[in-house]
Amino acid sequence: MTRVEPSRVPGRTAFRTTRPAVSGILRPRAALTCLALAALAFLVFCVAVGTGDYQVPVWDVVPALWGSGDMPTLFAVRELRLPRALTGLLTGAAFGLSGALFQTVTRNPLASPDMLGITQGAGTAVVAGIVLGFGAGLGTQGLGLGGALAAGLLMYGLAWRGGTTGYRIVLVGIGISWMCVSVTFYLLSRAEGYQAQQALGWLVGNLNNRGWEHVRPLALALAVLLPAVLLQSRLLRTLQLGDDVAGGLGTPVQRTRMVALLCGAGLAAFATAAAGPILFVALAAPQIARRLAGAAWPPPLASALTGSTLVLVSDLLAQRAVGDLMVPVGVVTGVLGAPFLLWQLSRADKAGTGG
């Protein structure tokens, strides 16, 4: 007969079953946070799909998503707005999850793909393709994906000294970031007017004119990488205790760190390829999720849901806040993210972490 042995401590409940022998920890606050964030992200998603020149009430959006409704509603929801909203939802999830992985591995709340050169590598590859005229068959998606993955592999390779540490990864990543920024600016200085305009339109992060060709690769990447991250979450938590303690608890430190960095770089690469480098989402989402869940580290699933909500809300503001002028979503996240970065820096300085 199976017997469940619970053990309660403040903020969590541990359990163990006798047959089969399974143990785990339940965190009610973290679970409620994920449910609330999922509901909020879905509500904002429905508002984004229903808002536009042809208004669709929120209660009519869900039936329309499943093919029920009149022709104008189905055309507005499924053909015009659904690909853009899905791109924003998935891009935010990928950036949020990627940021959680980088901040967990480096044990630094300021580490994110924006700061460590991943998105800058994508930008350099896209601008080089536009200005120098190579990789036309790949498009901006292929070039951005290749540039981001190359920057991630370069960062890991240069940080390797018989193993890696979070401190070396941050230092090398910042160096790669500034190197990519310098190369991008040099290429822009040599670009013709129309080339510079095309490159800048992508570099700022944009959801305009996004279609199913942007949704499918990103959805496939998340379907593969999100379960991989969740399966590694128990090992990732032990990295927060330091390499020596994690190794003493049986965690293969270097292998866990390598898998986490590859997953984080891959998520950021696919997100950047789909929508461009939407700044500050990967930095802010994990820290917001951590505070909401009351956790000591960025929770992966809550970080992904927070990232989705941030991008969808920012895109709604980008479309509606400046009258008829539609600004790129990256402008809104940049305006909102800069004060958050300054606040995070002040908090990191007071806590003696973050650098």
Side-chain angles (χ1 to χ4, degrees):
M1 181 177 178
T2 301
R3 189 176 60 187
V4 180
E5 299 175 351
S7 174
R8 292 184 176 85
V9 296
R12 59 186 177 180
T13 299
F15 67 92
R16 184 178 63 178
T17 61
T18 55
R19 186 181 300 174
V22 177
S23 62
I25 297 176
L26 299 175
R27 294 181 172 82
R29 178 173 171 177
L32 290 174
T33 299
C34 287
L35 289 175
L37 286 170
L40 180 61
F42 183 70
L43 176 62
V44 179
F45 175 80
C46 290
V47 172
V49 172
T51 304
D53 293 334
Y54 181 80
Q55 295 285 344
V56 179
V58 173
W59 50 84
D60 287 339
V61 168
V62 176
L65 293 175
W66 296 100
S68 176
D70 53 41
M71 287 303 295
T73 298
L74 291 177
F75 180 74
V77 170
R78 300 183 58 148
E79 301 297 328
L80 294 182
R81 300 171 191 162
L82 185 56
R84 177 188 183 122
L86 278 177
T87 304
L89 183 81
L90 298 176
T91 299
F95 275 131
L97 187 56
S98 175
L101 287 172
F102 278 101
Q103 291 177 11
T104 299
V105 168
T106 60
R107 301 170 64 194
N108 189 322
L110 300 177
S112 73
D114 309 339
M115 303 295 174
L116 302 184
I118 306 299
T119 54
Q120 286 81 359
T124 301
V126 170
V127 174
I130 293 173
V131 175
L132 303 179
F134 67 85
L138 298 175
T140 55
Q141 284 196 78
L143 289 170
L145 179 61
L149 290 176
L153 292 174
L154 181 62
M155 177 188 68
Y156 189 78
L158 292 178
W160 181 268
R161 293 289 184 276
T164 59
T165 64
Y167 183 72
R168 277 207 301 270
I169 289 171
V170 170
L171 285 182
V172 172
I174 291 173
I176 291 174
S177 172
W178 282 108
M179 181 182 69
C180 292
V181 169
S182 300
V183 174
T184 301
F185 284 163
Y186 171 73
L187 291 169
L188 286 174
S189 71
R190 295 188 53 183
E192 302 290 340
Y194 71 96
Q195 292 175 332
Q197 187 175 9
Q198 183 183 358
L200 289 173
W202 187 88
L203 282 175
V204 75
N206 207 330
L207 291 177
N208 294 336
N209 300 319
R210 289 317 188 256
W212 293 107
E213 69 274 16
H214 299 91
V215 173
R216 292 188 187 98
L218 188 52
L220 182 61
L222 274 168
V224 174
L225 294 177
L226 178 58
V229 172
L230 294 180
L231 288 174
Q232 290 277 317
S233 59
R234 185 182 65 82
L235 298 178
L236 288 172
R237 285 198 294 272
T238 64
L239 292 183
Q240 293 292 305
L241 304 174
D243 290 1
D244 293 338
V245 175
L249 293 173
T251 299
V253 174
Q254 295 303 329
R255 190 181 71 188
T256 303
R257 183 174 286 140
M258 182 183 70
V259 171
L261 288 176
L262 288 176
C263 289
L267 288 164
F270 277 95
T272 308
I278 302 177
L279 299 177
F280 291 118
V281 175
L283 173 72
Q287 292 304 311
I288 295 173
R290 184 177 70 81
R291 285 169 172 77
L292 290 175
W297 62 89
L301 188 57
S303 300
L305 293 169
T306 305
S308 293
T309 305
L310 287 178
V311 172
L312 289 172
V313 170
S314 298
D315 191 42
L316 276 175
L317 293 174
Q319 295 181 69
R320 303 299 167 200
V322 197
D324 295 333
L325 178 64
M326 293 179 62
V327 299
V329 64
V331 173
V332 177
T333 59
V335 171
L336 298 178
F340 180 86
L341 176 61
L342 294 175
W343 176 77
Q344 187 70 15
L345 284 169
S346 68
R347 293 280 302 172
D349 182 59
K350 289 177 182 176
T353 60

